[in-house]
Amino acid sequence: QVQLEQSGAEVRKPGASAKVSCKASENTFTSHYMHWVRQAPGQGLEWIGIINPNSGYTIYAEKFQGRVTMTRDTSTSTVYMELSSLTSEDTAVYYCARVKAARSPFDYWGQGTLVSVSS
Amino acid sequence: EIVLTQSPGTLSLSPGERATLSCRASQSVGSGYFAWYQQKPGQAPRLLIYAASSRATGIPDRFSGSGSGTDFTLTISRLEPEDFAVYYCQQYDSSPETFGGGTKVEIK
């Protein structure tokens, strides 16, 4: 059973950055892409981007281009999602979600990390 | 970007009843690349159906998916108390992977 353990809740001021981590329990960390999705309070799911943990290659949603950076640390089986220039509209729960391959359903999800942006 | 529109927004039903949820795509989606998720309050989404009609591991057979092209359906044959939740459709045929706005299935 794959487990994705995310970092704890963060509170940030407008203009700051937030960095969320997602640690995978599996030995095959580099074999599976990882997506990031967010959910604003009471709203639906919004795709942010994807990282290939093996190569580090990333694809970001156009909306977040220039503000998001996804990285990975293969030694700890952890991926990171950093979002900069935060506004109140970035207040949301951020999820990592694993896929078996490109163009695959999101079969395992982290528990979510609440990022709150407030002055 | 493929836009997914779910209907209805809210479905009020009683346990034991049949639930039919719809999702319409703004352009054709390959059937192998369409999924449904269930989300309960305070929890991450859970994969129910992938490839439009295949149940994920451990999903009861009262859940079924169908459809192709631009119209997809999730059916819950007989609602159990634990099925009252929000359901999202998703296409992963083309980037960006997009989700529908969700259908809330609530107890009548």
Side-chain angles (χ1 to χ4, degrees):
Chain A
Q1 178 79 352
V2 175
Q3 291 191 334
L4 302 176
E5 186 67 29
Q6 296 186 221
S7 49
E10 298 192 12
V11 180
R12 294 287 182 267
K13 293 190 182 302
S17 298
K19 189 171 185 177
V20 181
S21 67
C22 171
K23 181 177 174 60
S25 64
E26 61 182 337
N27 297 329
T28 55
F29 170 72
T30 56
S31 301
H32 304 294
Y33 298 161
M34 199 77 77
H35 290 263
W36 288 90
V37 175
R38 76 177 185 180
Q39 186 171 38
Q43 302 301 308
L45 302 167
E46 182 175 32
W47 183 77
I48 301 171
I50 182 176
I51 182 168
N52 178 337
N54 184 43
S55 66
Y57 181 69
T58 55
I59 300 173
Y60 304 136
E62 188 173 341
K63 174 177 180 177
F64 299 100
Q65 289 275 2
R67 280 211 304 142
V68 68
T69 304
M70 295 179 186
T71 56
R72 91 291 191 207
D73 182 343
T74 56
S75 68
T76 60
S77 299
T78 303
V79 295
Y80 300 89
M81 189 283 303
E82 184 170 21
L83 190 63
S84 62
S85 302
L86 293 169
T87 73
S88 59
E89 295 188 351
D90 294 314
T91 294
V93 175
Y94 290 75
Y95 295 101
C96 58
R98 193 207 78 159
V99 294
K100 290 180 180 176
R103 298 174 81 202
S104 293
F106 297 8
D107 55 357
Y108 291 99
W109 295 67
Q111 82 276 21
T113 297
L114 176 62
V115 174
S116 299
V117 183
S118 174
S119 56
Chain B
E1 174 176 324
I2 298 177
V3 176
L4 301 179
T5 303
Q6 291 189 240
S7 60
T10 302
L11 202 49
S12 299
L13 296 168
S14 301
E17 290 194 293
R18 182 184 187 91
T20 303
L21 289 65
S22 296
C23 183
R24 176 161 290 179
S26 61
Q27 55 189 278
S28 185
V29 176
S31 296
Y33 307 103
F34 193 88
W36 290 93
Y37 299 83
Q38 176 193 67
Q39 187 179 34
K40 297 180 179 179
Q43 296 184 16
R46 176 174 71 146
L47 177 66
L48 294 177
I49 301 288
Y50 65 96
S53 61
S54 297
R55 276 186 298 277
T57 302
I59 301 303
D61 60 8
R62 64 181 181 272
F63 290 92
S64 63
S66 63
S68 64
T70 59
D71 291 289
F72 297 85
T73 300
L74 174 69
T75 301
I76 310 171
S77 59
R78 287 176 55 85
L79 283 164
E80 297 288 340
E82 61 269 27
D83 299 336
F84 291 92
V86 179
Y87 293 84
Y88 293 96
C89 59
Q90 182 211 23
Q91 66 81 22
Y92 47 95
D93 192 6
S94 64
S95 187
E97 284 82 343
T98 48
F99 295 87
T103 291
K104 181 179 182 181
V105 179
E106 65 175 24
I107 300 177
K108 186 174 181 180

